[in-house]
Short mmCIF file of all heavy atoms in Angstrom, two decimals:
data_model
loop_
_atom_site.label_atom_id
_atom_site.label_comp_id
_atom_site.label_asym_id
_atom_site.label_seq_id
_atom_site.Cartn_x
_atom_site.Cartn_y
_atom_site.Cartn_z
N GLY A 35 26.16 -9.42 -24.64
CA GLY A 35 25.17 -9.02 -23.63
C GLY A 35 24.97 -10.08 -22.56
O GLY A 35 25.56 -11.21 -22.63
N TRP A 36 24.18 -9.72 -21.54
CA TRP A 36 23.90 -10.60 -20.43
C TRP A 36 22.35 -10.65 -20.20
O TRP A 36 21.67 -9.63 -20.34
CB TRP A 36 24.55 -10.11 -19.20
CG TRP A 36 25.98 -10.24 -19.15
CD1 TRP A 36 26.92 -9.26 -19.64
CD2 TRP A 36 26.83 -11.31 -18.82
NE1 TRP A 36 28.21 -9.71 -19.53
CE2 TRP A 36 28.16 -10.97 -19.05
CE3 TRP A 36 26.55 -12.58 -18.28
CZ2 TRP A 36 29.18 -11.81 -18.75
CZ3 TRP A 36 27.57 -13.47 -17.95
CH2 TRP A 36 28.91 -13.11 -18.19
N TYR A 37 21.94 -11.83 -19.97
CA TYR A 37 20.50 -12.06 -19.63
C TYR A 37 20.53 -12.89 -18.34
O TYR A 37 21.54 -13.46 -17.95
CB TYR A 37 19.81 -12.86 -20.67
CG TYR A 37 19.46 -12.07 -21.97
CD1 TYR A 37 20.54 -11.62 -22.79
CD2 TYR A 37 18.18 -11.70 -22.31
CE1 TYR A 37 20.24 -10.89 -23.89
CE2 TYR A 37 17.91 -10.98 -23.46
CZ TYR A 37 18.94 -10.62 -24.24
OH TYR A 37 18.64 -9.80 -25.39
N ARG A 38 19.39 -12.96 -17.68
CA ARG A 38 19.29 -13.77 -16.46
C ARG A 38 17.87 -14.43 -16.35
O ARG A 38 16.96 -13.91 -16.97
CB ARG A 38 19.53 -12.91 -15.24
CG ARG A 38 18.44 -11.83 -14.96
CD ARG A 38 19.01 -10.91 -13.77
NE ARG A 38 17.95 -9.90 -13.44
CZ ARG A 38 18.14 -8.95 -12.54
NH1 ARG A 38 19.36 -8.86 -11.96
NH2 ARG A 38 17.22 -8.06 -12.27
N GLN A 39 17.88 -15.49 -15.66
CA GLN A 39 16.64 -16.22 -15.48
C GLN A 39 16.51 -16.73 -14.05
O GLN A 39 17.35 -17.54 -13.61
CB GLN A 39 16.50 -17.42 -16.43
CG GLN A 39 15.16 -18.06 -16.43
CD GLN A 39 15.00 -19.05 -17.61
OE1 GLN A 39 15.93 -19.45 -18.22
NE2 GLN A 39 13.75 -19.31 -17.88
N GLU A 46 15.29 -12.77 -18.80
CA GLU A 46 15.17 -11.40 -19.05
C GLU A 46 16.49 -10.71 -19.43
O GLU A 46 17.53 -11.14 -18.93
CB GLU A 46 14.53 -10.67 -17.81
CG GLU A 46 15.40 -10.72 -16.59
CD GLU A 46 14.85 -9.91 -15.40
OE1 GLU A 46 13.70 -9.39 -15.52
OE2 GLU A 46 15.57 -9.82 -14.39
N PHE A 47 16.38 -9.62 -20.09
CA PHE A 47 17.54 -8.77 -20.50
C PHE A 47 18.11 -8.09 -19.30
O PHE A 47 17.42 -7.56 -18.43
CB PHE A 47 17.08 -7.80 -21.57
CG PHE A 47 18.07 -6.72 -21.84
CD1 PHE A 47 19.20 -7.00 -22.68
CD2 PHE A 47 17.96 -5.47 -21.29
CE1 PHE A 47 20.10 -6.01 -22.91
CE2 PHE A 47 18.88 -4.47 -21.54
CZ PHE A 47 19.94 -4.73 -22.37
N VAL A 48 19.46 -8.07 -19.27
CA VAL A 48 20.20 -7.36 -18.22
C VAL A 48 20.99 -6.16 -18.82
O VAL A 48 20.80 -5.05 -18.35
CB VAL A 48 21.14 -8.29 -17.42
CG1 VAL A 48 21.97 -7.46 -16.44
CG2 VAL A 48 20.36 -9.38 -16.74
N ALA A 49 21.85 -6.45 -19.78
CA ALA A 49 22.72 -5.45 -20.34
C ALA A 49 23.30 -5.93 -21.62
O ALA A 49 23.37 -7.11 -21.89
CB ALA A 49 23.79 -5.08 -19.39
N VAL A 50 23.61 -4.94 -22.48
CA VAL A 50 24.29 -5.30 -23.74
C VAL A 50 25.28 -4.17 -24.05
O VAL A 50 25.10 -3.01 -23.78
CB VAL A 50 23.27 -5.45 -24.91
CG1 VAL A 50 22.52 -4.13 -25.19
CG2 VAL A 50 23.93 -5.93 -26.16
N VAL A 58 23.49 -0.60 -23.08
CA VAL A 58 22.11 -0.50 -22.64
C VAL A 58 21.92 -1.40 -21.46
O VAL A 58 22.38 -2.49 -21.41
CB VAL A 58 21.12 -0.85 -23.74
CG1 VAL A 58 19.71 -0.71 -23.29
CG2 VAL A 58 21.39 0.06 -24.98
N TYR A 59 21.17 -0.89 -20.47
CA TYR A 59 20.93 -1.59 -19.25
C TYR A 59 19.43 -1.70 -18.96
O TYR A 59 18.65 -0.80 -19.25
CB TYR A 59 21.59 -0.95 -18.04
CG TYR A 59 23.08 -0.86 -18.14
CD1 TYR A 59 23.77 0.19 -18.69
CD2 TYR A 59 23.87 -1.91 -17.63
CE1 TYR A 59 25.11 0.26 -18.76
CE2 TYR A 59 25.24 -1.87 -17.71
CZ TYR A 59 25.84 -0.75 -18.32
OH TYR A 59 27.24 -0.71 -18.36
N ALA A 60 19.00 -2.87 -18.32
CA ALA A 60 17.69 -2.89 -17.81
C ALA A 60 17.54 -1.85 -16.70
O ALA A 60 18.46 -1.60 -15.92
CB ALA A 60 17.44 -4.31 -17.32
N ASP A 61 16.33 -1.36 -16.51
CA ASP A 61 16.11 -0.34 -15.51
C ASP A 61 16.44 -0.93 -14.10
O ASP A 61 16.90 -0.19 -13.24
CB ASP A 61 14.71 0.09 -15.51
CG ASP A 61 14.35 0.99 -16.70
OD1 ASP A 61 15.31 1.51 -17.33
OD2 ASP A 61 13.16 1.16 -17.03
N SER A 62 16.20 -2.18 -13.93
CA SER A 62 16.45 -2.83 -12.62
C SER A 62 17.90 -2.83 -12.12
O SER A 62 18.23 -3.00 -10.98
CB SER A 62 15.88 -4.19 -12.58
OG SER A 62 16.46 -5.02 -13.60
N VAL A 63 18.81 -2.70 -13.12
CA VAL A 63 20.24 -2.77 -12.81
C VAL A 63 21.03 -1.49 -13.04
O VAL A 63 22.19 -1.45 -12.77
CB VAL A 63 20.92 -3.95 -13.54
CG1 VAL A 63 20.18 -5.25 -13.32
CG2 VAL A 63 21.02 -3.67 -15.04
N LYS A 64 20.36 -0.55 -13.64
CA LYS A 64 21.07 0.79 -13.93
C LYS A 64 21.63 1.34 -12.65
O LYS A 64 21.02 1.40 -11.65
CB LYS A 64 20.04 1.72 -14.56
CG LYS A 64 19.84 1.56 -15.99
CD LYS A 64 18.82 2.60 -16.51
CE LYS A 64 18.54 2.43 -17.97
NZ LYS A 64 17.48 3.33 -18.47
N PHE A 67 25.07 -2.14 -12.18
CA PHE A 67 25.85 -3.11 -13.03
C PHE A 67 26.59 -2.33 -14.13
O PHE A 67 26.13 -1.22 -14.58
CB PHE A 67 24.93 -4.10 -13.69
CG PHE A 67 24.21 -5.07 -12.78
CD1 PHE A 67 24.32 -4.96 -11.35
CD2 PHE A 67 23.58 -6.20 -13.33
CE1 PHE A 67 23.76 -5.87 -10.59
CE2 PHE A 67 22.99 -7.12 -12.49
CZ PHE A 67 23.08 -6.96 -11.10
N ILE A 69 28.79 -3.13 -17.85
CA ILE A 69 29.21 -4.12 -18.80
C ILE A 69 30.40 -3.60 -19.57
O ILE A 69 30.42 -2.42 -20.01
CB ILE A 69 28.04 -4.49 -19.80
CG1 ILE A 69 28.40 -5.65 -20.74
CG2 ILE A 69 27.54 -3.29 -20.56
CD1 ILE A 69 27.25 -6.17 -21.57
N LEU A 80 30.62 -8.50 -16.65
CA LEU A 80 29.50 -7.83 -16.02
C LEU A 80 29.85 -7.61 -14.58
O LEU A 80 29.88 -8.52 -13.81
CB LEU A 80 28.23 -8.64 -16.16
CG LEU A 80 26.96 -7.96 -15.65
CD1 LEU A 80 26.61 -6.76 -16.54
CD2 LEU A 80 25.79 -8.88 -15.53
N MET A 82 28.88 -6.36 -11.08
CA MET A 82 27.67 -6.26 -10.37
C MET A 82 27.90 -5.74 -8.97
O MET A 82 28.54 -6.38 -8.17
CB MET A 82 26.90 -7.58 -10.36
CG MET A 82 26.69 -8.16 -11.77
SD MET A 82 25.59 -9.65 -11.73
CE MET A 82 26.69 -10.72 -10.79
N VAL A 92 20.21 -17.38 -12.78
CA VAL A 92 21.28 -17.89 -13.71
C VAL A 92 21.50 -16.76 -14.67
O VAL A 92 20.62 -16.34 -15.35
CB VAL A 92 20.91 -19.20 -14.28
CG1 VAL A 92 22.00 -19.69 -15.16
CG2 VAL A 92 20.60 -20.24 -13.21
N TYR A 93 22.78 -16.43 -14.81
CA TYR A 93 23.12 -15.34 -15.72
C TYR A 93 23.81 -16.01 -16.99
O TYR A 93 24.67 -16.81 -16.88
CB TYR A 93 24.08 -14.38 -15.07
CG TYR A 93 23.47 -13.43 -14.11
CD1 TYR A 93 22.91 -13.87 -12.93
CD2 TYR A 93 23.26 -12.08 -14.42
CE1 TYR A 93 22.26 -12.98 -12.04
CE2 TYR A 93 22.63 -11.20 -13.56
CZ TYR A 93 22.09 -11.67 -12.38
OH TYR A 93 21.48 -10.87 -11.52
N TYR A 94 23.27 -15.57 -18.14
CA TYR A 94 23.72 -16.09 -19.41
C TYR A 94 24.34 -14.95 -20.25
O TYR A 94 23.85 -13.86 -20.34
CB TYR A 94 22.50 -16.64 -20.19
CG TYR A 94 21.83 -17.81 -19.54
CD1 TYR A 94 20.75 -17.62 -18.65
CD2 TYR A 94 22.25 -19.08 -19.81
CE1 TYR A 94 20.13 -18.65 -18.10
CE2 TYR A 94 21.62 -20.19 -19.20
CZ TYR A 94 20.57 -19.99 -18.35
OH TYR A 94 19.90 -21.01 -17.73
#
Side-chain angles (χ1 to χ4, degrees):
W36 292 89
Y37 287 69
R38 66 187 182 188
Q39 187 167 20
E46 65 174 6
F47 167 78
V48 175
V50 64
V58 179
Y59 297 91
D61 288 342
S62 58
V63 307
K64 277 181 184 176
F67 291 12
I69 186 171
L80 184 68
M82 306 185 295
V92 177
Y93 283 70
Y94 297 90

